[in-house]
Amino acid sequence: MRVVDTFAGCGGLSKGFEDAGFNVVAAFEYWDTAIDCYKANFGHPIIKQDLSNVLDSVNKINSMAPDMIIGGPPCQDFSHAGKRDEGARASLTGAIAEIISKARPRYFVMENVDRSRNSKAYLQARDILKDAGYGLTEKVLDASFCGVPQRRKRFFCIGALAKEDGFLDYYLERNLSKKEMTIRDYMGEELGLEFYYRHPRNYSRRGIFTIDEPSPTVRGVNRPVPKGYLGHHNDPAPIDTPKLRPLTTLERARLQTFPKNFQWFGTKTDMEQIIGNAVPVKLAEFVARALGEYLHEYEEKFRRVA
């Protein structure tokens, strides 16, 4: 099945779908630094494209003859960390819906932050997709139950032409882990520490975490331990724990389940943002494998009927 990735970033969705056996034939992205990163890690082309230009984007995507379009439009305007207003970037959710409705792939996968599900932009996009004849599976997934050592909740809208709503629910739910994946489960002793600092949004929240739990959501910023942080009653270790430190940029990429040999480009600030914005590879693979199971069972059933 031919897959095209839109708003591809550094390629978290692409890598997960490739690892699940899908044929990703091209990707589209606008940020040059992310494009450089993607090019270094994949053999297929990535095209610089303003995806808000729907008609031009559709023409270029259709030239790739995709069976499936995947993508996660920028999520900052929906994010818990942001101002929670729907600005210009939210309109890109509508753009990807328009692209899908005009390109009409058999399947699509859209990813965004969990709270985007109730946004005006998504509800308008949903109407576009339903009018185009897609059955939708709409699901918030906690990445820590999907093979990722991180409590990262993401909303997926997965569509199939001429299928019923909820067509993929069973396949997603049956593959969820019974327990959260911890950092130690995924990385063993790779980090060489038991506790680490992750800067809280405000000091009413904890800042120290243990590798025997999933990490909190990897964000696009990473700060050292500040003098102003005096500890929190929920911290599993005191602030004066020897060698307490934040995770490095590359360690945070590992929490996003990128492989050790994945190549990164740009300034430290760029890399932190690219990594924080990415779809965790194993979360993408989880969704892709559920789709693969559905396709295998559906097509097998179709062959028996035929």
Side-chain angles (χ1 to χ4, degrees), residues 14-31:
S14 288
K15 179 63 175 164
F17 270 74
E18 282 193 345
D19 289 350
F22 285 85
N23 179 25
V24 181
V25 297
F28 293 82
E29 171 58 46
Y30 194 69
W31 186 14

Side-chain angles (χ1 to χ4, degrees), residues 6-292:
T6 58
F7 303 101
C10 64
L13 268 176
S14 288
K15 179 63 175 164
F17 270 74
E18 282 193 345
D19 289 350
F22 285 85
N23 179 25
V24 181
V25 297
F28 293 82
E29 171 58 46
Y30 194 69
W31 186 14
D32 287 332
T33 305
I35 290 172
D36 290 342
C37 188
Y38 194 104
K39 281 181 179 177
N41 292 286
F42 296 93
H44 54 260
I46 180 167
I47 296 120
K48 184 173 182 179
Q49 176 66 19
D50 177 3
L51 289 156
S52 67
N53 185 335
V54 171
L55 293 180
D56 186 50
S57 299
V58 168
N59 288 335
K60 290 178 180 176
I61 289 170
N62 278 345
S63 72
M64 305 293 175
D67 302 297
M68 183 185 301
I69 293 174
I70 61 177
C75 62
Q76 290 91 335
D77 287 323
F78 303 131
S79 168
H80 294 280
K83 296 180 179 179
R84 303 190 184 189
D85 60 336
E86 293 186 37
R89 287 168 296 191
S91 68
L92 293 174
T93 299
I96 192 172
E98 292 281 4
I99 289 168
I100 290 165
S101 71
K102 289 176 170 56
R104 295 186 65 78
R106 289 170 57 197
Y107 298 92
F108 72 82
V109 176
M110 288 171 51
E111 179 271 353
N112 216 306
V113 294
D114 57 338
R115 71 185 310 273
S116 67
R117 182 174 189 171
N118 297 317
S119 68
K120 291 179 182 176
Y122 173 68
L123 295 177
Q124 290 168 355
R126 188 184 192 280
D127 286 342
I128 293 169
L129 295 166
K130 290 301 298 178
D131 288 345
Y134 286 93
L136 305 180
T137 287
E138 299 163 287
K139 199 83 170 171
V140 173
L141 294 174
D142 183 331
S144 67
F145 291 96
C146 305
V148 180
Q150 183 185 162
R151 288 191 183 109
R152 187 184 190 98
K153 291 184 178 178
R154 285 299 183 268
F155 171 59
F156 284 85
C157 175
I158 304 158
L161 267 178
K163 299 294 190 297
E164 70 283 0
D165 287 344
F167 70 96
L168 201 64
D169 284 344
Y170 167 75
Y171 298 88
L172 292 170
E173 291 166 5
R174 77 175 180 181
N175 290 332
L176 289 170
S177 172
K178 297 292 191 292
K179 64 178 286 292
E180 293 179 304
M181 176 169 282
T182 70
I183 295 175
R184 195 188 300 273
D185 290 336
Y186 185 73
M187 300 178 68
E189 307 305 316
E190 182 180 322
L191 295 176
L193 50 73
E194 296 290 322
F195 305 101
Y196 63 95
Y197 178 80
R198 186 261 202 180
H199 193 68
R201 295 194 182 103
N202 60 69
Y203 289 159
S204 67
R205 302 184 181 191
R206 63 188 282 212
I208 299 174
F209 297 83
T210 169
I211 67 170
D212 288 312
E213 62 183 324
S215 85
T217 297
V218 172
R219 304 197 305 261
V221 295
N222 190 21
R223 297 175 183 168
V225 183
K227 292 181 180 179
Y229 186 77
L230 302 177
H232 187 275
H233 65 276
N234 285 329
D235 285 344
I239 190 66
D240 59 358
T241 296
K243 299 182 179 179
L244 184 73
R245 62 173 177 83
L247 299 182
T248 68
T249 303
L250 295 182
E251 287 168 345
R252 285 154 53 82
R254 295 286 289 131
L255 294 185
Q256 288 279 62
T257 58
F258 284 93
K260 291 180 183 179
N261 63 353
F262 205 85
Q263 298 182 58
W264 302 98
F265 290 84
T267 65
K268 183 178 185 298
T269 299
D270 284 345
M271 287 193 291
E272 294 284 1
Q273 187 175 348
I274 289 169
I275 290 166
N277 289 348
V279 180
V281 173
K282 290 294 182 184
L283 178 58
E285 182 181 345
F286 177 89
V287 172
R289 290 196 182 281
L291 254 174

